[in-house]
Amino acid sequence: MKPEPDGLAPAHDGGLVLRGIGAAPGVAIAQAFVFERGKVRTPRYHLPPEKIEAEVTRLLAALALSDEQLGRIQAAAGGEAPDRLHLSGAREYRLILEAHQAMLRDRTFVAEVLRLLREERLNAEWAFRREIRRIKGALGQGGDEYFRERRADLDFLADRVVRNLLGLTVDVAIEPPAGCVLVTRDLSPTDAALLLVPGKVAGLVIDLGGRTSHAALVARAREIPTVVGTGDASSRIQNGALVAVDGGHGTVTLRPTGSVLRRLEAGRSRYLEEEVALRATSELPAVTRDGVHVRLVGNLEFGAEAPSLWAHGAEGIGLYRTEFLYLDRPDLPSEEDHYLAYRALLLAAGERPVTIRTLDLGSDKLPGAMRRREANPAMGLRALRLALRSPALFRAQLRALLRASVAGRLRLMFPMVSGLTEMREARAQLEQARAELAREGQPMAAHLPVGIMIELPAAAAIADRLARECDFFSVGTNDLIQYAMAADRGNPLVSHLYRPLHLGILRTLEFVVRSAHEAGIPVAMCGEMAGDAAHAAVLVGLGFDELSMNATSIPQVKRIIRALSAEECRTIARDAMRLGTQEEIERFVRERMRERLGDLEAESSV
Ligand code: PEP
Ligand code: MG
């Protein structure tokens, strides 16, 4: 259904429908509890010289008070064993709270606020807000959802300090009525820590924010149906009114009655039944009719998402994008920060393999001090090339990975490898870190598989040579297609060229798989192409051993793999590659899938 331009549409019978972004699936029908934090205005004035020192004292007192409040909230959100902390919503919150505390204690940051106060004679509220604005600027102005959310986190911190300076209430001890739908304009990490308690809050509606806001992340991890980005739901919905949140479709229905209510209730029952069915298939292996096992594993950005991957049947983690560890903070993560995150994930995965990719940061995605301007960051100093230029940064991560390797079945992977030289350099740095740790007497796994991502056309072209010197490949089609087609993966103007079934891409994949197998190593795919059910037959036919995707794609891809034989998949792939245009190939694959599977593939995208 197309969204209404104003986000509001009449329901067929009873109720109004607000549209937003589905951030956590499921349906909740309950009374609304509208949580209003209210905006705080920042007073701006210049200080007379004789008031400056008193203002310094006032500022330092507000910083100390804010620090103390954050500590209290952290303590309230804690209580979990250290190894589990990285995997729970509470841990995600605590990381943000810690980052906020670190900032309040950061000498350079505080010195700059004091400079604004003393030299430019700005009042404390203004000075603090201005320095936060500068840091937000350093995070970039891009529309990237992730950075928008991090900028919002900084606003929450500024609001706290300004409220404390003004003597306003900061953390209200509200108690939402049990089983309510929480409706709010925005939800700070601290408010979320206090309010998003499973069992207490049945559903969540937020006017602002996107899928990667911390509230959304934890709502997903705790399975609280959530819709974000509704625009003005919090001013339209009255406290106590019945609302229905459909987190799968991104809709919020106000005061549903009659057939609308019945439909929503049926939707809720269906969702719960599907969840049960899905969990039932999660135990089944992804094996073709003729017995070929294709390992289905998950892509993950935050530890908190791991339980959802297991629930959807992931046999392991195929890609952990570690760059997210760098992005929530003003400074760089320490070796210990890395170590704790990796160890927690490995322990939670148990026997399952976990592929951790070293940082894929770019010049546009770095903590303030390391940022640079580059005309084309996608082709700039990013990922492995950045790591090799920043030995201290890379060393901290490699040491942490080696130390964590004893906690589970770790596989280490380098991103954006351009050729043999870079791969050898990266491996040399790994060996150096290993030797260092051995001298320190640190335990490490006896064998640590080391693989590379194939996402540059030049690397794909020498896959046969690369395969002789590493333990596995994982094809990153998001970048591989972007570079092969010269079509920016985020640019809608050229999205018509971004076609996974282009013959050039299929030939590249065929060569990569053959090269890996001839060298006796397994080959995975962790780009988005792997999670599209429409491509499953072709990828099995090409011979991929492992496909890594988002949690929700796993059951559908599994159904297709279980319904086909590897032999017929090979025929589909071979015949498809005899055709010419991408349209012909797409049509051919679609028709073959329909013949074989009826409407099973109807939900897929080709
Ligand atoms: C890819 O390029 O396909 C990939 C998985 O890496 P990322 O999306 O993180 O660039
Ligand atoms: Mg990539």
Side-chain angles (χ1 to χ4, degrees), residues 85-147:
L85 284 176
H86 280 274
L87 301 167
S88 65
R91 175 62 195 177
E92 302 292 350
Y93 285 132
R94 286 182 61 174
L95 280 179
I96 300 210
L97 302 177
E98 278 166 24
H100 283 183
Q101 278 188 309
M103 202 149 162
L104 295 175
R105 294 171 193 173
D106 185 299
R107 280 162 195 249
T108 326
F109 171 75
V110 175
E112 183 54 25
V113 182
L114 290 177
R115 193 195 65 76
L116 291 173
L117 214 145
R118 288 197 169 112
E119 288 177 21
E120 301 196 22
R121 295 198 283 115
L122 309 186
N123 64 311
E125 292 89 344
W126 189 5
F128 190 86
R129 189 69 85 175
R130 200 159 108 185
E131 184 54 11
I132 288 281
R133 193 151 21 105
R134 194 189 63 74
I135 294 173
K136 277 170 62 186
L139 271 181
Q141 294 307 317
D144 180 299
E145 183 189 331
Y146 191 80
F147 288 95

Side-chain angles (χ1 to χ4, degrees), residues 224-297:
I224 298 173
T226 297
V227 176
V228 298
T230 52
D232 57 358
S234 68
S235 51
R236 286 179 188 270
I237 299 175
Q238 281 177 354
N239 227 348
L242 187 70
V243 286
V245 182
D246 183 337
H249 293 100
T251 59
V252 182
T253 309
L254 278 57
R255 300 186 186 284
T257 56
S259 63
V260 171
L261 182 58
R262 284 193 295 282
R263 184 166 50 75
L264 286 161
E265 279 169 348
R268 179 169 57 185
S269 309
R270 207 169 39 244
Y271 176 78
L272 294 173
E273 278 161 24
E274 276 170 11
E275 274 294 296
V276 173
L278 185 147
R279 278 162 208 259
T281 70
S282 73
E283 298 298 317
L284 298 173
V287 177
T288 61
R289 293 162 82 101
D290 48 356
V292 174
H293 177 209
V294 182
R295 185 152 65 183
L296 299 187
V297 290

Side-chain angles (χ1 to χ4, degrees), residues 169-182:
T169 321
V170 180
D171 296 305
V172 272
I174 56 155
E175 184 70 19
C180 70
V181 167
L182 185 71

